[in-house]
Amino acid sequence: VQLVESGGGLVQAGGSLRLSCVASGFTFDADHIGWFRQVPGKEREGVSCISPRNGRQYYNPSVKGRFTISSDNAKSTVYLQMNNLKPEDSAVYYCAPTWCGSAGGSGSFYYTPPDYWGQGTQVTVAS
């Protein structure tokens, strides 16, 4: 399994970035692909998740309405369009195959702990 994230960088608050995750070594549309992020000293958290098979999307409430996840199955690539970025979005972003489901009333989603990770891409949002 190989996951290659790209697209991170330094951006001003309110700006946008689009992250890409190119996946290989597994059946791309078998389950879900998720985006996760981590800052030093904190646990990695789920940001968004998509089923490449049916397009169903899941979002962390903190990014809902600002981030959009999508997939290009022909390219085995998942994207994360991030708009109206905030300093608290600063983190290393990772993609990983996983399985996601709705967490009901919380508006968030749950996921199975991924077994594979890419190297991550750094997103820094300056205030």
Side-chain angles (χ1 to χ4, degrees), residues 9 12 18 40-41 47 51-52 68 72 78 99 101 106-108 111 118 120:
Q12 292 292 115
R18 189 174 85 150
V47 176
S51 165
T68 303
D72 183 335
V78 175
W99 188 91
S106 71
S108 188
Y111 54 89

Side-chain angles (χ1 to χ4, degrees), residues 26-47:
F26 64 98
T27 303
F28 184 72
D29 64 351
D31 291 304
H32 298 74
I33 307 289
W35 280 101
F36 305 82
R37 66 187 180 188
Q38 188 171 26
V39 297
K42 292 190 176 181
E43 289 188 1
R44 202 169 297 191
E45 68 170 351
V47 176

